[in-house]
Amino acid sequence: ALLKILCVMRIGYVIYLILAVSNLGFGQPLESEKNDQQHAIADKKSISTQTDTNRIKKLFDLYYQYRKVDISVALTYLQQAQSIAYNLNYSDKIALIQYHKGYLYRVQGNYDLAIRSYLASLNYYTSVSDDYQVGWLLIDIGNLYYVQSDKLLLAKEHFEKARQLFSKLKDAQGYALAENNIGMTLLKMNKWQEALPRFLSSIQRSEQIKDVDEKVLSLYYISEAYQQG
């Protein structure tokens, strides 16, 4: 069965980090000395921030280089970036890293760890009401359940939640894909008559935005449905 698995998250390279710098002065400094020390500490923080930002950027660069070459090495770079983000309590960056870890686990075929990582990312985006990212994460999670025959109901549940969000966002592309995925899940459950309206609905949305590729997939799925019937 053809099921599109889309990864739509974007990497944000610029991460602003602030490190605490200890005051190592002796005794109580004069006011002028205090000002000098404050400027020196601010300069050190700026250097530290720049250093950590460059480290995370470099780690993401290395992740991208290795993710299709050596997944275990790519995971190591993501974990190092995650460690920095955790230490500085950057929840948004942690969520982004968790998403990419989920992607690598999925490629490995480690679906349990992939789902766990995606869910961690989903929880953050849900907490900040980022419906767009939530919708596509629900698709990713649903896809992972779809490939496990004993978890088709969970796949359908996640696709339906995604469809609702895409409807709310008036995102025709996401809605059409979610409908196709729901239909394919129903086909896998031997419910071809219930699947057909989903494919037809997907075609309607695809035509609105002239998405030929999604429409072709819908037509292919319809032919599979009739073969099952």
Side-chain angles (χ1 to χ4, degrees):
L2 299 176
L3 188 67
K4 294 176 70 176
I5 300 177
L6 303 180
C7 298
V8 296
M9 293 292 180
R10 301 172 298 278
I11 291 292
Y13 281 135
V14 183
I15 303 175
Y16 297 99
L17 311 176
I18 299 175
L19 297 178
V21 180
S22 300
N23 184 347
L24 301 180
F26 296 94
Q28 295 296 323
L30 300 174
E31 287 302 315
S32 59
E33 292 174 334
K34 277 186 180 180
N35 291 335
D36 289 341
Q37 287 182 0
Q38 287 170 356
H39 286 305
I41 290 172
D43 289 342
K44 289 179 181 178
K45 285 183 178 180
S46 177
I47 292 170
S48 297
T49 298
Q50 185 178 12
T51 299
D52 283 334
T53 300
N54 289 337
R55 281 180 63 199
I56 290 179
K57 181 181 182 302
K58 182 62 176 177
L59 289 168
F60 269 113
D61 286 342
L62 290 168
Y63 154 67
Y64 271 110
Q65 290 174 29
Y66 279 92
R67 67 178 185 165
K68 293 184 179 179
V69 178
D70 190 325
I71 292 176
S72 61
V73 173
L75 270 171
T76 298
Y77 290 128
L78 280 183
Q79 287 164 348
Q80 290 175 14
Q82 184 175 347
S83 178
I84 297 173
Y86 265 125
N87 288 339
L88 295 163
N89 197 31
Y90 279 111
S91 299
D92 56 337
K93 308 310 175 190
I94 295 169
L96 190 61
I97 292 167
Q98 288 281 19
Y99 173 82
H100 285 282
K101 286 174 70 176
Y103 163 78
L104 291 180
Y105 289 135
R106 177 178 65 79
V107 174
Q108 278 186 328
N110 194 335
Y111 298 141
D112 288 341
L113 284 179
I115 290 171
R116 191 181 305 173
S117 294
Y118 281 150
L119 286 173
S121 186
L122 178 69
N123 288 338
Y124 169 76
Y125 289 113
T126 300
S127 72
V128 296
S129 301
D130 189 337
D131 288 343
Y132 181 80
Q133 302 289 23
V134 169
W136 287 107
L137 266 165
L138 288 168
I139 293 290
D140 285 321
I141 295 168
N143 286 337
L144 287 170
Y145 285 130
Y146 174 86
V147 297
Q148 303 176 73
S149 296
D150 60 333
K151 296 182 179 178
L152 292 177
L153 286 175
L154 284 170
K156 182 172 174 287
E157 175 186 333
H158 283 76
F159 293 145
E160 286 177 339
K161 287 180 179 178
R163 183 194 59 186
Q164 291 170 5
L165 280 178
F166 290 134
S167 177
K168 172 185 172 184
L169 295 169
K170 302 186 186 307
D171 185 330
Q173 181 189 27
Y175 189 95
L177 186 141
E179 284 283 64
N180 268 341
N181 285 7
I182 294 169
M184 283 303 295
T185 306
L186 289 166
L187 271 188
K188 206 170 182 180
M189 298 166 69
N190 297 315
K191 297 181 178 181
W192 70 274
Q193 289 177 313
E194 293 181 36
L196 278 174
R198 303 297 192 176
F199 301 140
L200 294 172
S201 171
S202 180
I203 288 174
Q204 289 179 343
R205 292 303 176 100
S206 296
E207 288 178 340
Q208 290 175 6
I209 56 173
K210 297 179 172 57
D211 188 342
V212 177
D213 291 339
E214 197 68 42
K215 181 178 178 179
V216 168
L217 282 174
S218 299
L219 292 170
Y220 174 81
Y221 297 153
I222 288 171
S223 70
E224 282 202 344
Y226 280 120
Q227 286 177 21
Q228 188 178 108

